[in-house]
Amino acid sequence: MTTTKPNDLFHPSAEVVAQANVQDYEETYLRSIEDREGFWAEQADTLSWYKKWDSVLDESNAPFYKWFDGGEINIVDNAIDRHLNNANRNKMAIIWEGENGQVRNFSYNGLNREVCQFANVLKSMGVSKGDIVTIYMPQIPELVFAMLACAKIGAVHSVVYGGFSTEALASRIDDAQSRVLITADGGWRRGKAIDLKSIANDAMMRSPSIEVCICVKNNELDVEMEPTRDFWLHDLKALPIASSKCETEQTSAEDPLFILYTSGTTGKPKGMLHTHGGYAVYTSTTHRMAFDIKPQDRWWCAADPGWITGHSYIVYGPLINGATIMLYEGAPNYPYPNRWWQIIENYGINILYTSPTAIRGLMRFGDRWPQKHDLSSLRLLGSVGEPINPEAWRWYHHVIGQDKCPIIDTWWQTETGGFMICPLPITPLKPGSATKPFFGNEMTIVDDDGNEVAANEEGKLVISNPWPGMARTIFKDPERYQDLYWKQTDDGSWRYLAGDSAKKDEDGYIWVIGRMDEVLKVSGYRLGTAEIESALVSHPEVSEAAAVGLPHELKGNAIHTYVILKQGIAPSKDLALALKEHVAHEMGKIATPEAVEFVESLPKTRSGKIMRRVLKARALGQDEGDLSTLEE
Ligand code: PRX
C-alpha cells in the first residue's frame, strides 16, 4: 500500500498524459472564462443540429438563462441517429449483465430499433410532445430504452429511482401529473425478486392521474394487472403499430428533456428541469474531456440510471460520445465480493466511475477479491456523490487502479447536469479534492456576506456564471428556483448557491466538505430530512419527528431520527422497529433510519422550525452553538 499524506500530489503517468483529449488545463481554462460563449459554441459545433442557434447564451431574463436559443436539436438524434450513419452503427452501445448472470447486448443499430419500437408504443398510447411520462424501473436495458423513447418523440421523462417506494413514487407522479407510467413486474437484488409492480399499484391508487401503465416482464413475478389500465410491453411490441422505424421529433434547444426530482431544503422534492440542447452539449463535453473517452473504450458508470449520475453519464453523455456502456443490475457483492472485479475482467472495462460508498463497501472485504482478477484494462477511475476519504482514495488508486489510473473525482449535482469541479487525466491529484473548476466555470468560497474567504478557510461554495448543463427551473415553481439557488450581487450579476460548504487551498484546489442544508447524503444517495420526517409522521402513532445525518464509516452519513409519540402511546423496541419498516415502506429501503429515539420534545426556533443542528451537536457531544433563537 502506498503511504501518502493528505496533501501529497499524485502525478499522472507520461502514458496517460500523452493520450489525453485535453493537453493544457490552464490555457484552455483561461480561454473558456475570457470567451465563455466561444468555448461553448465550439463544443456545440461537435453535435448534430437541425438548425444552429441564434444566440449561444441569452441572459436577458437572468437567472433564467437560455442556451443555444433558436437552435433545433434532439438529444436522441445525437445519442443514436447520427451513429447509424458512421462506423458506430454496428458497435456495441450497451452491454447488460443481470444479477443472475444473464447477458444482453445492443449495438447502436439494435438500440435504435428498441427505442423506435418503444417510441411507437408510447405514441399509440397517446403520448406526444411535452407530455411527462413517469418511469419506475429496475436497472434493465428497457429503462434506458424508455428514457430515450420519450426524448425521441419530444416527451419529457421523469424517472423515479427503482429503490424508492410507494409514497416517494406517488408524490412524484402527482407533482408531474403524469398520465403514463412505465414500470416492470420487478427487479433482482441479492438473489431475491423485488416486486415493483405492487408498489406501483399502490402509488397509482394514491395518485390517480395515471391512465396507462406499461409494464416490462423482467422477473416472472405474478403481479396484479388492472385490465383497462395496465399493458405488458411485449404485447404492445407485437402490434403492427410498434414498428422499428420512427422519426425523431425536431425539438428546440430549450425544449424540456426531463424532470428529475431531488431533495431540497424544505418541503416536497423539487422537479429539476433539464433541456435538450445545453444538456447534450454539457454532458458530452465533460464526459469526453474529463474521462478522455476514446472510440474503443468500454465505459462503466456503476450508478443507477434513475439518478442524475445515470442520466448524464450512463445514458446521454456516453451515448452522444459513441461509447460502449456497461450496465449491471444487482449488488456489487453478489454472490461474492468479486462481482465487480469479475465484470471488469470479463468485459475489459477501461473506465470505472462509482461512489465512495461503493468503494468503502468493497474495500472492507479485503484485497484478495480484486487480486483474483486481471484489472489491467482499467485506464481511469472516477468518483462521485460525496467527498472521498483519503483512505478509500488510496485503496481505489493502489488496489483497483494498480497505481496507474488517475482518479477523476467529480463534484456536481442534480441541478448542475454535469461535472462542475473535476480533474482532467493530466491534473496532478490530491486525494479527497475534486481539484479545479471545469472549463467555463468560476467557483468561489464565500462567507455569509458573500465575500470571498481566505485560502483554506471554510465557506459556502458559489458559482458565478451560467453553464449549458444547468437546470432551467424547478418544474411548476420558478419562484422557488430563483429563491433557493440564486443571489444577485451588488453589481447586478447572479451567483448560484450550491448548498455545500468547501475550502480552496493555496494551489486553488477545492475541497468540498458537505451539505449545509437539510439534505442528507446517505451512501451517496440524496435524501431530504423533510421526506423522512413526513414518512414518520404518516404513522398513526407518531406526533412529531426529526431526522439528522450522523457520520457513518461505510455510508458516509446514517439517518438518526427523533420521534415524539402521540399521547398515551408507550415507546418500545418493537415500535422503533415498526417505524423503521414504515419509513422503508413509504420512502424506500435507502431511507431506513439507523436509529429511532423516542423523545418528549424537540429543539425548535420560536417560529417552530426544528433545529436539527442542535440535535446533531447533542448526538455528537459537540458544542450546541448559538441557541439564541431556541424556543423556551
Ligand atoms: O454535497 C454534494 C455531493 O452531492 C450533492 C449533490 O447530490 P446529487 O444531486 O444527488 O448529485 C450527486 C451526483 C452528482 C452535492 O451538493 N457531492 C457530489 N459529488 C461530490 C460531492 N461531494 C464531494 N465530492 C464530490 N465529488
Side-chain angles (χ1 to χ4, degrees), residues 203-216:
M204 286 188 279
M205 292 243 291
R206 291 188 199 185
S207 294
S209 64
I210 300 292
E211 293 167 17
V212 172
C213 173
I214 300 171
C215 191
V216 178

Side-chain angles (χ1 to χ4, degrees), residues 376-413:
S376 61
S377 58
L378 288 173
R379 190 175 83 244
L380 291 167
L381 299 171
S383 175
V384 61
E386 53 183 317
I388 178 164
N389 49 311
E391 199 196 351
W393 195 100
R394 287 191 201 103
W395 185 82
Y396 197 29
H397 188 257
H398 180 61
V399 179
I400 307 308
Q402 302 175 353
D403 294 321
K404 69 179 174 67
C405 305
I407 295 179
I408 310 298
D409 179 354
T410 59
W411 178 90
W412 58 296
Q413 308 176 303

